[in-house]
Amino acid sequence: MSSVCRAPRETDFARFPDSAPIVIDNGASTFRIGWAGEAEPRVSFRNIVQRPRHRSSGETVTVVGDTDPALMKYFDCTRTSIRSAFDDDVVYQFEYMEYILDYAFDRLGATSEVGHPILMTECECNPSFSRARMSELLFETYGVPSVAFGIDDVFSYKYNQKLGNCGEDGLAISCEFGTCHVVPFLKGQPVLGACCRTNIGGFHITDFLRQLLSLKYPYHVANFTWEKAEELKKEHCYIAADYMSELQIFKNNKEEAEGKTRYWQLPWVPPPRDEPPSEEELARKAAYKEKAGQRLRDMAAAKRSQKIADLEEKLSGLEDLMDHLDGADESQTTSILGRSGYLSQQEIKSDILKATQSLRKAKGESNGNEENADASGADKYPLVSVPDDMLTPEQLKEKKKQILLKTTTEGKLRAKQRRAEEAALREKQEEERRTENPELYFDELRARYLELSEKVDQRKRQKVNGNNNSSGAVGRGERLNAAQKERMRLLTTAAFDRGKGEDTFGMRDEDWLVYKKMSKENEEDDDGKDDDESELARIASKIQEVDPTFVNKHDAVEPAPDPHKVRPLTAEDFRIAIGIERFRCPEVLFQPGMIGVDQAGIDEMVSISLRRLLEDESVKERLCQSILVTGGSSLFPGMIPRLESGIRQFRPYLAPLKLVRAADPILDAWRGAAAFAASSKFGKQTFTLADYREHGESLFHRYNIVYTL
């Protein structure tokens, strides 16, 4: 284990005799250590421990107190967190306490053993277990000759009593880091049986402020570190004289609320502005684009030239093959076809025609007239005109497929021609009706348009419901027509022979008629849908000729919504406003229920402590005339007036009341302890190493620690 420490000051042990006591104010927030009789502690640091790993060596180091960001960049802190030896101002983690004492004694100048008496502060009613473990640590690890413990609030009260800020009879209200205490004093001595404690302190105020800011600005959570929240608390938070009235100000009076709001500007760099490109930039981009386009055109031209050369070579070879076949007899023809891989001369002619068309297309020429197109369509099926006795069994199957495809294609052409003739006849009849009675013709068009529109919409709704079918909805099988159901039946039974259960499909000519039947039904079904939509578009165009304001709802395109535009971030987005949080966070000292702690506030704690005193009202009045407020959390502006207002609610009408803040709420506890350690009374309140070894831990259950100062 290694320790990361600041450079120690000059050695102080040589400047003091062996009997000079060391005074330690072991606060949950700050650790202070120094010599008895001095006005200021020699060493003061934050009472925390962190154990990161070194990035290069991987060694675990111990970092005590505040860290230097320039130093911490060499360590990996992602797998560790800040640790404290305290839990509600009571020391429980003595492993971390040992790291802290090592660092403190090293800063003070100790090398191996600490041969000086120790006076250490602790909170009210500290458990004997914690005090015993602390004594064991000091005796066994550091070899101190004697130890004494005292209450920090008592030291602060007695120090301010010497300064004349409070009397012998009074109350000490301590607002510390993790807890708050109220301790009554009679004749200069604390009455611990009447003290009162609540587990609310400066830690909870800082944590509450950090949570509120994180909820208010969730996109800046990383900036709300503990250190920054502590800094904002000390700079901007205050105690409201009347919490509800202060809330009403922020709710109703905007101007006054704005005056009480503080702002914290986070680092922000304005985004670069998009300036229009210059003429030189535009010219450069245009030249680059033209160069890239020319390169693509050259590549396309080279590819087209290569394709033309390949097609010419293929066409020349096919023509030479046909010339050989024309001059050969029947036996030579069969041999030539076998070597070339063709089955017949018709197949070669078909390839020649395809190659010729591809060559013309590559050269950008026309593919010829309609007769050539029809001829090419006929030559797509070369095996149709070949006799069956000249074909192999595989070629016979291919011939049957070509016959089926040719028949289907010719049927489609005839149906298309028939529909064109029907459309021409319908146009002629509609023109005659329009001439005879234009109003009746227009009404018929309207009615026909509504009928077809409803039919098309119904089909679209069925399609959508079929895709988004839920439990209880109509299934697809319940919406199929007879032709579609028959086609599904054929699909499920076509591949199986009913007798043998084997796949014998295609062995018979009748099997191939299934495809023809299915294609015909599918064609009729699809053509029906296309016919309805085309007829709807035709009727809509006719209506628009008569009524130009008419809009076909099936052609209307809904305008696409504008894409969400992201607003550019400005300096205002990086400005943190601290308004209500300024007085809401410290309010937890008076209303712990705001953060879920079911305990009394510090004003109510005074009333509870006075009720626990078995004294008459005159003694309580005397105590209330000397109330000392100490601790770091007592430095909030408005603390004394708010405490006075809260305590008066629990006191009789016009009862005397006087509150005063300690001379230095943070250092008075250490100064009071240093003054006591330098007095002659200190030696009578310590217990030595011999006492510890003789009695053990039982010593702390019956030993009076520093109560009588």
Side-chain angles (χ1 to χ4, degrees):
M1 179 189 69
S2 61
S3 177
V4 178
C5 303
R6 298 185 181 90
R9 301 179 183 180
E10 75 174 288
T11 304
D12 296 317
F13 275 80
R15 298 174 55 190
F16 287 87
D18 294 341
S19 60
I22 297 176
V23 180
I24 298 176
D25 182 11
N26 191 20
S29 175
T30 306
F31 186 96
R32 301 178 183 88
I33 184 172
W35 296 100
E38 294 190 337
E40 300 288 338
R42 291 299 182 97
V43 181
S44 178
F45 56 87
R46 191 176 171 192
N47 207 343
I48 55 173
V49 177
Q50 192 174 3
R51 304 199 67 201
R53 290 180 180 271
H54 198 277
R55 293 186 184 274
S56 59
S57 64
E59 180 185 4
T60 301
V61 299
T62 302
V63 181
V64 177
D66 297 323
T67 57
D68 184 3
L71 178 64
M72 293 305 294
K73 67 180 181 180
Y74 299 105
F75 301 95
D76 181 13
C77 300
T78 58
R79 299 183 179 181
T80 185
S81 60
I82 295 176
R83 302 291 184 179
S84 174
F86 289 83
D87 185 5
D88 292 336
D89 283 349
V90 177
V91 180
Y92 281 101
Q93 300 293 335
F94 287 91
E95 178 184 0
Y96 302 137
M97 196 69 244
E98 184 177 354
Y99 294 144
I100 294 170
L101 290 174
D102 285 344
Y103 177 74
F105 288 136
D106 183 75
R107 288 288 308 277
L108 197 61
T111 54
S112 58
E113 290 189 358
V114 181
H116 293 258
I118 298 294
L119 173 59
M120 180 177 289
T121 64
E122 62 181 18
C123 65
E124 289 83 344
C125 303
N126 191 42
S128 299
F129 165 79
S130 177
R131 190 180 301 115
R133 290 293 305 276
M134 182 65 72
S135 301
E136 178 184 356
L137 180 63
L138 293 173
F139 284 131
E140 301 292 344
T141 305
Y142 301 102
V144 298
S146 60
V147 175
F149 293 96
I151 300 174
D152 50 1
D153 299 345
V154 177
F155 286 132
S156 179
Y157 189 88
K158 298 298 290 185
Y159 181 78
N160 281 272
Q161 182 181 349
K162 293 180 180 179
L163 298 178
N165 295 330
C166 51
E168 287 189 350
D169 297 337
L171 292 172
I173 301 178
S174 176
C175 303
E176 301 173 358
F177 183 70
T179 57
C180 290
H181 298 89
V182 175
V183 181
F185 287 82
L186 290 176
K187 298 180 181 180
Q189 301 302 320
V191 183
L192 298 182
C195 69
C196 187
R197 165 195 175 111
T198 184
N199 294 327
I200 294 292
F203 168 84
H204 304 86
I205 299 174
T206 305
D207 189 63
F208 192 33
L209 177 61
R210 188 170 59 88
Q211 291 180 14
L212 291 180
L213 293 179
S214 299
L215 292 174
K216 189 176 181 180
Y217 300 97
Y219 38 86
H220 293 310
V221 173
N223 294 285
F224 303 134
T225 60
W226 175 268
E227 291 76 11
K228 191 61 185 181
E230 184 78 11
E231 179 183 347
L232 294 175
K233 178 190 75 171
K234 294 179 179 179
E235 290 183 1
H236 303 299
C237 288
Y238 65 93
I239 303 292
D242 188 340
Y243 179 69
M244 297 307 297
S245 300
E246 200 77 7
L247 286 177
Q248 291 299 321
I249 292 176
F250 277 81
K251 180 179 179 181
N252 302 324
N253 195 335
K254 301 298 182 182
E255 295 182 0
E256 188 175 355
E258 182 67 22
K260 293 187 176 184
T261 302
R262 300 294 180 265
Y263 295 96
W264 170 34
Q265 182 64 52
L266 296 176
W268 174 75
V269 178
R273 296 182 178 180
D274 296 334
E275 298 181 356
S278 61
E279 295 182 359
E280 293 79 3
E281 183 69 16
L282 293 176
R284 187 183 64 82
K285 290 183 178 180
Y288 178 79
K289 186 176 181 181
E290 178 63 25
K291 185 178 179 180
Q294 184 61 38
R295 184 168 61 252
L296 293 176
R297 287 192 292 270
D298 294 342
M299 293 173 60
K303 187 176 181 181
R304 184 169 59 253
S305 300
Q306 182 65 30
K307 184 177 181 181
I308 291 174
D310 294 342
L311 289 174
E312 289 178 346
E313 182 181 356
K314 179 180 179 181
L315 185 59
S316 176
L318 291 175
E319 290 176 349
D320 292 342
L321 181 60
M322 285 299 301
D323 293 341
H324 284 82
L325 291 174
D326 291 341
D329 54 13
E330 184 176 353
S331 60
Q332 293 177 345
T333 299
T334 304
S335 177
I336 293 173
L337 289 175
R339 290 195 304 270
S340 61
Y342 286 97
L343 301 177
S344 64
Q345 294 185 14
Q346 294 293 336
E347 189 173 355
I348 299 176
K349 291 180 181 180
S350 177
D351 283 355
I352 291 175
L353 182 59
K354 292 179 180 178
T356 303
Q357 291 177 351
S358 299
L359 183 61
R360 289 177 178 176
K361 184 177 180 181
K363 292 181 177 181
E365 301 175 357
S366 175
N367 285 334
N369 53 20
E370 295 180 359
E371 295 180 359
N372 292 335
D374 295 339
S376 64
D379 290 337
K380 289 181 180 179
Y381 315 105
L383 298 179
V384 173
S385 58
V386 180
D388 294 348
D389 54 357
M390 297 179 61
L391 301 176
T392 62
E394 289 78 8
Q395 293 174 345
L396 286 174
K397 286 186 178 182
E398 184 66 25
K399 179 180 178 180
K400 293 177 182 178
K401 295 180 182 179
Q402 292 183 4
I403 292 173
L404 177 61
L405 294 175
K406 182 179 180 182
T407 305
T408 303
T409 304
E410 292 175 351
K412 289 182 177 180
L413 293 175
R414 288 193 297 269
K416 184 177 181 180
Q417 185 178 3
R418 184 174 65 254
R419 287 195 298 269
E421 294 174 354
E422 292 176 355
L425 180 60
R426 184 171 61 250
E427 288 288 339
K428 183 178 179 180
Q429 293 175 353
E430 289 182 354
E431 182 65 23
E432 293 176 355
R433 291 201 308 273
R434 187 179 68 82
T435 306
E436 294 176 358
N437 192 344
E439 295 181 359
L440 179 61
Y441 172 73
F442 185 71
D443 293 340
E444 290 177 353
L445 287 179
R446 285 278 191 181
R448 180 62 176 162
Y449 175 82
L450 294 175
E451 179 183 353
L452 289 176
S453 179
E454 180 63 26
K455 187 175 181 181
V456 172
D457 291 342
Q458 179 67 21
R459 188 183 297 119
K460 291 181 179 180
R461 285 195 296 269
Q462 289 179 350
K463 184 177 181 180
V464 172
N465 292 336
N467 294 335
N468 301 321
N469 191 14
S470 58
S471 179
V474 177
R476 175 174 171 80
E478 301 180 17
R479 301 195 310 272
L480 298 178
N481 54 29
Q484 293 171 333
K485 291 181 179 180
E486 179 64 18
R487 185 163 62 250
M488 292 186 65
R489 186 189 66 80
L490 293 173
L491 284 173
T492 55
T493 59
F496 296 95
D497 184 86
R498 294 183 178 180
K500 299 180 181 180
E502 299 177 357
D503 186 4
T504 59
F505 181 80
M507 299 296 293
R508 297 174 300 175
D509 294 342
E510 293 81 2
D511 294 341
W512 299 101
L513 297 178
V514 173
Y515 288 113
K516 183 176 181 180
K517 185 175 181 181
M518 292 171 57
S519 176
K520 182 178 180 181
E521 293 171 351
N522 194 19
E523 176 188 350
E524 293 176 355
D525 187 30
D526 294 340
D527 289 344
K529 298 179 181 178
D530 296 338
D531 290 344
D532 291 341
E533 295 178 359
S534 59
E535 179 68 11
L536 184 64
R538 188 188 69 82
I539 293 176
S541 64
K542 291 289 184 181
I543 297 176
Q544 288 175 348
E545 292 177 1
V546 181
D547 184 8
T549 61
F550 175 77
V551 178
N552 185 8
K553 65 178 182 179
H554 294 276
D555 293 340
V557 179
E558 296 182 1
D562 295 335
H564 178 67
K565 296 182 180 179
V566 179
R567 180 179 63 85
L569 297 177
T570 62
E572 188 71 20
D573 298 319
F574 287 81
R575 190 172 69 163
I576 308 301
I578 308 174
I580 296 179
E581 296 83 6
R582 294 184 62 197
F583 62 90
R584 183 180 181 186
C585 296
E587 186 65 22
V588 301
L589 295 175
F590 300 88
Q591 301 184 49
M594 294 176 61
I595 57 173
V597 178
D598 187 15
Q599 296 182 12
I602 54 177
D603 51 356
E604 187 179 355
M605 289 166 56
V606 174
S607 174
I608 296 174
S609 181
L610 291 176
R611 288 201 304 268
R612 291 177 178 175
L613 280 175
L614 302 178
E615 303 291 341
D616 55 12
E617 188 62 29
S618 61
V619 176
K620 296 180 181 179
E621 287 184 2
R622 192 167 62 253
L623 293 178
C624 290
Q625 296 180 32
S626 177
I627 299 179
L628 179 72
V629 183
T630 186
S633 297
S634 66
L635 294 174
F636 286 114
M639 170 63 82
I640 300 301
R642 176 64 185 276
L643 264 177
E644 184 175 355
S645 175
I647 296 174
R648 285 192 183 278
Q649 298 180 11
F650 301 98
R651 296 296 299 154
Y653 179 65
L654 296 179
L657 185 64
K658 180 182 178 181
L659 283 83
V660 62
R661 182 182 282 113
D664 190 339
I666 296 177
L667 292 179
D668 281 354
W670 186 91
R671 289 169 178 167
F676 175 77
S679 66
S680 59
K681 298 180 181 179
F682 173 69
K684 302 177 182 179
Q685 300 291 337
T686 61
F687 53 92
T688 63
L689 177 60
D691 296 333
Y692 170 76
R693 290 177 177 176
E694 180 180 356
H695 300 284
E697 294 186 3
S698 61
L699 173 68
F700 304 102
H701 296 283
R702 57 183 179 83
Y703 192 90
N704 271 337
I705 61 172
V706 181
Y707 293 152
T708 305
L709 303 181

